[in-house]
């Protein structure tokens, strides 16, 4: 039968798209890595050549110049092509999955800038990661695939129409976000958990399975491509094992005593949590300052990026000069970072092995176990302080910038510092301390638990430290939670995205739905005059209008349902043949005139606007029956319903409009419509300021 | 302020309980292991001693006798004390977390039998696991802790009253279930994911965090206790490293070629999925047969257990006689299984190293990499067939019996069999084949994905095979899903538990809420005569009644809200002073007469029943105001609401009652109440049989 064929098409297409998302995200993640590794490698090689010829000034100029060119490239892409591509992207994806329909977030231009801006930005030596941008990239790829084709470019296919709705798009974008984490960290299970814990707002078991599949594809693709590079020998340029993070922390079974545990809890858990929340606080303050600068225009954005780039280059190149050369602990590290700053043979500069390399390699060096490498205390202190501050001042400039890597760098150097100081008193390895430090900072800023834990375990491939990592994450998150919110929530709030929390605020229990509903309300009759509809569409920006059946169609006025602005526009633009001169209901066969695609949610295009309507004066006086396009099963609450319960319904069922109906009979059948904005704390506390003081 | 103190008490208590659940479950899991290891070890030692004296008949009698005594012990506990403790327990926990309030499932007697029955049952050599029972045990412990004290034993404490509600109890029991997996497998992250993917029906981010904390506690407790045993030297009896499963599959990086991948997909993924769904089908058929036997009485239950025990003992002891002794591949295995069945020096019986040992050790032997041990093809075939069938015939007898271990055993032997056969053509290790075989069987029977994947990785401590495990799980689940449902869903259905699925069935879209609402409806007035209430409570078993305000209280009849049976019973039993001779509303100060605990959800006790009421004839004629105990914000839907949408609301918000109101004015203000049973497919398809054929 036709129905079974459609279900089959839908299922096949959904899995195919999940496969494609995994495939493309995996390839993009791999190319991103090749790009970054080759750019950084080339830059270090050029600089190092000049250094070895004792031309320090030229080397410095070369280093600063390379970084500056790359940085300006990234900033120009961001400032002129897609401003939405700046920053991490995780808050935007999270907001979209919560139901905030801002299409520029996931537009193709954003995707383009996110990919290349991230390569340039990370290549420019900024203290930024590629993980957040990869999540955004994955989501953009998923959004592009889930568009349902493109009428503009003639890429339409009957099958694709199934994805012209919010729910399926959201599912795909969840898969994309998960695939982004999987591709960035090579952590497929961590990616699934990230999508579950941080990204998505509505979770179903089927979605778990689909993201899992997508991430399995990513894992297989990455593995195949890495094998291709390894076996090929040089065909990937300077792409080494540094490309995709997989730190082998080679410490054996972590044995620990009770004092060790207390030290870890106190120094890493508690202080890490404090440092993490301070990080969030400072980022919040700085973002507000930066936004003033960034609003002045693209030139100012680029200037700001140039200043930060120069600062970063100076620190990365100059600070190692402060550090003495130390004897190599065993073998000396490989040339690029080895005899940097002119160390004698069998000596190396340990500060330059952290600063004068890629962020990934710096993390790898910090995680190495304590038997093989030791860092001087001064090195760790200098590195920690400068990376902590650089990470904060870099986020918010107009380049795609992930937060994971800066936080891991700061946390790992902090942990290693504590580990080195406590070394005489503890049996725990200093490399393990670095890992736990990274966990504590991540917990303190991002406030995730299970997903961070699994990501860290997948990164380090050692399951035996699980209990310690769990403990540190829990403590640092608890400590930080008592000061402020997670960094992504903060950024979302700063951007003014109306995120709907999973729980209702306590003061909502003292309010009822009728308290926050506001008017004036535009309602339509079941058969409405075209002119009235056009007027309502023009003077309001509402996305939904209640439809009320009135006598003589019914005995008394009663609520028929809800009609959407977008559906009204389609009806008025494409179905003028349905207009009637008299106020009569059409026959039920009218739905045959609609095509399956007519009322589908449009893709990236701007959709129909009121101005696109071309309705003659005569037509304005005609009537149109709204019943065929009315949702006759809208969710409703009585006006005396507790606002907290209404919020729960709104959030859990995933609504955009919630109709409020009167309690007592004899009144008009609708009181108002609750939308996302009516549940925002700012709005409610604006209406009832006294609730704020409770 | 008082409110802040209460919030503080609540938060502290909730975390304390999560800690206690982790602590106790960890200890129970450890003791369970010590018990099983010591019992099994002693049994094997005794038998082996007789064998070495060439007394084969005595050895056989000793082995069968020991097993029989242990089996009868387990069966007697189950049959006489707590029949609910038989089986896995996971379906029951899943049903409880879906909102099915069957208290015997989590009663203290069930807990007692589950712990000791499981030790005896596993010790008796049955092909059953301790994982399912541990999940049930964890849930029981959580339920006991979340009772809010016990009035019977005087264990009441003001703080505990916060847990006298469904939601907090469900949260705790989710933690308990997760802790059970963590304690059984030493897989804390896998436990969290299991709770999320399989057990719970409503998931919140806060719950993720709390289960994570509980499991971190379990991990720390287990680690400390194992360290205590290892360092103590013999103070844990025969408890060895076999106790808690942690298989180190020592194969290095799994390299594979495309033909390998195809072989894995075809032989393990597809055929594993088929075998898994066949397993489910056979278990379903056998359970129906067994339930006929088990219903005849406890004696029949015990007899059935004895038959299966004898069968198991014969197979475990006798089948190895069919196998030849083979030279030890390197070192010979340790004595108990080594020279069993009288092998010459430097020889061993490989079939007995699988049969004549604990299930955990058999799995460990199957997972060992192929370089160190080889099994004969005949050994693997015999073992696979007998374990596959034994696992099926054992589930359903009256002992606590987990399904994980039988399925892993069957899958691992199947995988190893395929691996041994394909050895000349593949570079993949046979031990890896065994692991993938276990994954495919688990995917085929239980139909979980992420949680199984993480549990397997935590068991084997090798993250590098992640992509392969993911692939096999996905394929076997997809293949099996096209035949039947997961084994836990099947068992739930067989037990008649009204589980509410996350999605609405397609035929529900063609129905409206009014179609399935049934029954003569009992409603109360806002101020109702006591006699009417008692009558309604006696003649119906409804748990909720609509309250309607009528003139002269209001202008027209209107819905006031919903009152619960349990609250009515409390009012009629404890608050007779509120009865009035006239039909008048009480003042608002009346709520001061209620104590905080009065309307709390009772714990394990049976609560108040209608028969407990002691109302005089005079009181029957009096009135009582129901407003103070009425929920005035019930969720409602209009009778023309699509049934699919009503089901979504019911499921997502987690309701027990959904009021259906009329669409047109002028009718009584309530049409009926939808409960869980009204959404069950059997009920709806009974009302509308033609929908079945669509």
């Amino acid at each position: 039968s036709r129905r079974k064929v459609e279900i089959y098409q839908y299922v096949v297409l959904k899995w195919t798209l999940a496969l494609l998302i995994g495939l493309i995200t995996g390839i993009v993640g791999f190319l991103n890595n090749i790009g970054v590794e080759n750019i950084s490698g080339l830059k270090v090689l050029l600089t190092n050549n000049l250094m070895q010829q004792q031309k320090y000034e030229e080397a410095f100029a070369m280093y600063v110049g390379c970084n500056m060119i790359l940085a300006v490239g990234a900033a120009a892409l961001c400032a002129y092509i897609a401003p939405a591509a700046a920053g991490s992207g995780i808050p935007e994806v999270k907001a979209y999955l919560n139901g905030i329909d801002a299409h520029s977030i996931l537009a193709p231009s954003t995707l383009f800038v996110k990919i290349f801006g991230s390569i340039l930005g990370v290549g420019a030596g900024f203290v930024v990661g590629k993980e957040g941008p990869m999540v955004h990239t994955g989501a953009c790829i998923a959004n592009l695939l889930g568009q349902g084709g493109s009428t503009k470019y003639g890429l339409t296919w009957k099958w694709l129409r199934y994805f012209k709705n919010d729910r399926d798009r959201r599912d795909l974008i969840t898969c994309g976000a998960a695939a982004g984490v999987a591709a960035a960290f090579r952590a497929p299970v961590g990616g699934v958990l990230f999508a579950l814990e941080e990204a998505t707002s509505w979770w179903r078991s089927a979605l778990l399975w689909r993201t899992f599949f997508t991430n399995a594809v990513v894992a297989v693709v990455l593995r195949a491509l890495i094998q291709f590079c390894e076996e090929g020998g040089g065909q990937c340029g300077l792409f080494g094992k540094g490309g995709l993070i997989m730190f082998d922390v080679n410490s054996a079974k972590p044995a620990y005593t009770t004092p060790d545990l207390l030290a870890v809890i106190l120094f890493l858990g508690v202080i890490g949590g404090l440092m993490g929340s301070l990080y969030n606080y400072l980022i919040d303050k700085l973002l507000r300052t930066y936004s003033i600068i960034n609003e002045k225009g693209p030139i100012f954005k680029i200037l700001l990026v140039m200043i930060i780039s120069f600062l970063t280059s100076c620190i990365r190149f100059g600070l190692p000069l402060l550090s003495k050369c130390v004897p190599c602990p065993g073998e000396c590290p490989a040339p690029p970072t080895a005899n940097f700053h002119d160390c004698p043979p069998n000596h190396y500069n340990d500060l330059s092995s952290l600063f004068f390399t890629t962020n990934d390699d710096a993390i790898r060096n910090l995680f190495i176990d304590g038997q093989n490498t030791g860092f001087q205390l001064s090195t760790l202190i200098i590195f920690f302080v400068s990376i902590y501050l650089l990470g904060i001042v870099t986020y918010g400039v107009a380049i795609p910038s992930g937060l994971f890597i800066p936080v891991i760098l700061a946390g790992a150097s902090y942990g290693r510092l504590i580990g080195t100081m406590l070394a005489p008193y503890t049996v725990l390895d200093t490399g393990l301390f670095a890992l736990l430090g990274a966990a504590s900072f991540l917990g303190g800023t991002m406030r995730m638990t299970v997903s961070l834990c699994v990501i860290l375990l997948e990164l380090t491939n050692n399951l035996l430290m699980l209990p310690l990592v769990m403990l540190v994450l829990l403590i640092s998150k608890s400590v930080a939670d008592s000061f402020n919110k997670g960094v992504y929530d903060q950024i979302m709030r700063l951007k003014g995205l109306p995120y709907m929390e999973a729980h209702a605020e306590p003061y909502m229990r003292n309010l009822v739905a009728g308290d926050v509903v506001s008017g004036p309300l535009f309602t339509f009759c079941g058969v409405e005059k075209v002119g009235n509809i056009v007027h309502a569409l023009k003077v309001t920006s509402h996305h939904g209008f209640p439809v009320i059946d009135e006598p003589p169609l019914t005995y008394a006025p009663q609520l028929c349902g809800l009609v959407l602005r977008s559906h009204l526009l389609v009806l008025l633009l494409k179905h003028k043949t349905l207009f009637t001169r008299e106020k009569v209901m059409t026959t039920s066969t009218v739905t045959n005139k609609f095509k399956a695609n007519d009322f589908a949610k449009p893709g990236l295009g701007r959709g129909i606007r009121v101005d696109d309507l071309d309705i003659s004066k005569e037509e304005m006086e005609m009537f149109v029956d709204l019943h065929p396009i009315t949702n006759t099963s809208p969710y409703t609450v009585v006006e005396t319903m507790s606002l907290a319960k209404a919020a729960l319904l709104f959030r859990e069922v995933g609504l955009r409009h919630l109709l409020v109906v009167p309690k007592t009979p004899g009144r008009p059948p609708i009181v108002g419509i609750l939308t996302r904005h009516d549940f925002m704390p700012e709005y409610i506390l604006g209406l009832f300021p006294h609730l704020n003081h409770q």
Side-chain angles (χ1 to χ4, degrees), chain A residues 88-367:
Chain A
S88 157
I90 293 177
E92 284 87 352
V93 173
K94 197 175 164 182
Y96 182 87
L97 293 176
N98 190 255
I100 298 163
D101 218 352
H103 257 298
S104 69
I105 291 175
L106 301 173
S109 60
T110 312
L111 172 61
F112 172 79
V113 173
K114 205 88 197 185
I115 296 175
F116 291 97
S118 174
I119 294 177
L120 293 174
V122 177
F126 281 116
V127 184
V128 297
K130 57 177 191 285
E131 283 66 26
M134 271 309 299
V135 170
H136 198 166
T137 303
C140 286
I141 291 171
N143 187 47
L144 208 61
L145 288 173
Q147 279 310 306
S150 158
T151 37
K152 195 172 164 190
Y153 300 105
L155 294 168
T156 50
W157 186 36
K158 208 181 64 186
W159 286 31
L160 289 170
R161 71 166 186 274
Y162 300 116
F163 288 84
K164 289 199 165 281
N165 65 72
D166 276 329
R167 184 176 139 145
D168 284 314
R169 278 192 196 146
R170 241 179 254 155
D171 283 4
L172 286 178
I173 287 166
T174 310
C175 286
V181 175
F185 283 119
R186 267 183 92 182
V189 178
V192 172
L193 289 176
F194 173 85
L196 156 67
E197 192 178 358
E198 188 64 21
T200 190
S201 293
W202 293 282
W203 190 263
R204 291 168 300 118
S205 201
L207 196 52
L208 191 68
W209 191 25
R210 195 160 285 120
T211 49
F212 191 67
F213 170 72
T214 310
N215 282 9
V217 173
V218 172
V220 170
V221 167
L222 282 182
R223 199 188 164 285
L225 290 174
I226 290 170
Q227 207 166 14
F228 169 79
C229 276
E230 278 176 358
E231 289 172 2
Q235 61 195 346
C236 299
L238 292 167
F239 178 71
K241 63 172 183 173
L244 287 151
I245 322 177
M246 174 75 94
F247 313 110
D248 267 311
V249 179
N250 280 318
S251 76
K253 285 194 186 183
Y256 49 85
T257 59
T258 314
D260 290 343
L261 213 59
L262 289 178
V264 165
I265 289 172
L266 183 68
F267 286 108
L268 298 181
V270 177
I271 300 184
L274 290 175
M275 296 273 209
S277 73
L278 180 65
Y279 201 92
N280 288 5
Y281 175 80
L282 292 174
I283 279 198
D284 191 57
K285 289 284 161 238
L286 216 72
L287 273 181
R288 287 171 199 271
T289 318
Y290 279 178
S291 70
I292 298 168
I293 302 173
N294 285 339
E295 272 167 17
K296 291 192 179 168
I299 290 296
F300 285 86
K301 286 188 182 178
I302 297 175
L303 271 178
L304 186 60
V305 170
M306 287 172 75
I307 294 169
I308 303 292
S309 170
F310 185 71
L311 180 71
T312 309
S313 302
C314 289
I315 288 178
R316 282 192 184 275
F317 192 95
L319 279 186
L321 296 172
L322 297 179
S323 184
K324 292 195 304 283
C325 289
V326 290
C328 295
E331 267 181 72
C332 272
T337 55
N339 44 10
F340 182 63
H341 296 120
D342 205 26
C343 282
N346 287 326
H347 281 61
Y348 83 126
N349 186 321
D350 60 351
L351 192 51
S352 111
S353 79
L354 297 177
F355 267 132
F356 198 65
T357 179
T358 61
N359 295 328
D360 291 358
D361 278 330
I363 295 176
R364 192 171 290 111
N365 290 336
L366 285 168
F367 279 0

Side-chain angles (χ1 to χ4, degrees), chain A residues 440-648:
Chain A
S440 77
F441 271 51
L442 284 172
T445 50
M446 318 213 160
R447 317 288 165 83
M448 291 176 261
T449 51
V450 187
S451 44
L452 281 179
C453 186
V454 173
I455 288 174
L456 283 173
L457 291 177
E458 287 189 272
L459 282 184
T460 55
N461 196 21
N462 190 342
L463 279 165
L464 292 169
M465 26 201 175
L466 187 60
L468 278 180
V469 173
M470 287 175 102
L471 203 68
V472 166
L473 273 174
L474 276 169
I475 292 166
S476 68
K477 177 179 152 74
S478 316
V479 169
D481 267 346
S482 56
F483 292 100
N484 48 25
K485 298 189 108 187
V487 68
Y488 297 130
D489 288 325
Q490 272 191 359
I491 296 171
M492 255 191 321
R493 206 166 180 171
L494 206 66
K495 296 203 168 190
L497 298 168
Y499 188 81
M500 190 82 195
E501 294 285 347
H503 57 273
E505 300 292 333
Y507 55 75
M508 289 187 185
R509 286 188 215 154
N510 304 326
L511 296 172
V512 296
D515 289 340
V516 298
V517 154
S518 58
L521 186 71
F522 278 83
T523 60
F524 296 134
C525 297
V527 182
E528 183 61 88
K529 203 194 243 181
V530 173
N532 289 349
I533 299 175
V534 174
H535 174 71
L537 291 176
K538 276 195 177 147
V539 298
T540 73
S541 59
H542 298 174
H543 286 95
F545 300 89
V547 176
I548 289 166
D549 280 332
E550 282 179 355
L553 289 174
T554 55
Y555 176 74
Q558 67 182 41
L559 181 67
C560 169
L562 183 81
V563 66
L564 294 181
R565 163 182 286 263
S566 56
H567 293 183
L568 283 173
L569 286 169
V570 172
L571 190 76
L572 295 184
L573 188 74
K574 297 190 184 168
H575 297 283
K576 289 187 182 173
T577 53
L578 297 179
F579 293 0
T580 50
R581 301 209 171 268
E582 302 297 318
K583 193 167 184 172
V584 287
M585 280 177 74
T586 46
T587 50
S588 61
T589 53
V590 75
T591 46
N592 296 341
K593 293 197 185 168
F594 298 145
K595 271 171 273 163
N597 233 346
D598 276 356
F599 296 97
K601 180 142 183 159
L604 285 172
R606 62 194 177 103
I608 308 169
R609 291 190 196 167
V610 188
D611 305 334
D612 300 337
L613 294 181
D614 175 30
I615 294 176
S616 68
K617 206 155 186 180
E618 190 188 7
E619 284 169 336
M620 283 288 197
E621 295 301 315
M622 293 171 82
F623 291 89
V624 61
D625 185 3
L626 298 180
H627 289 100
I629 61 163
T630 299
N631 166 13
T632 54
S633 282
Y635 285 97
T636 56
V637 291
V638 181
E639 57 184 336
T640 56
M641 176 71 136
S642 145
L643 188 63
K645 283 188 162 183
L648 187 71

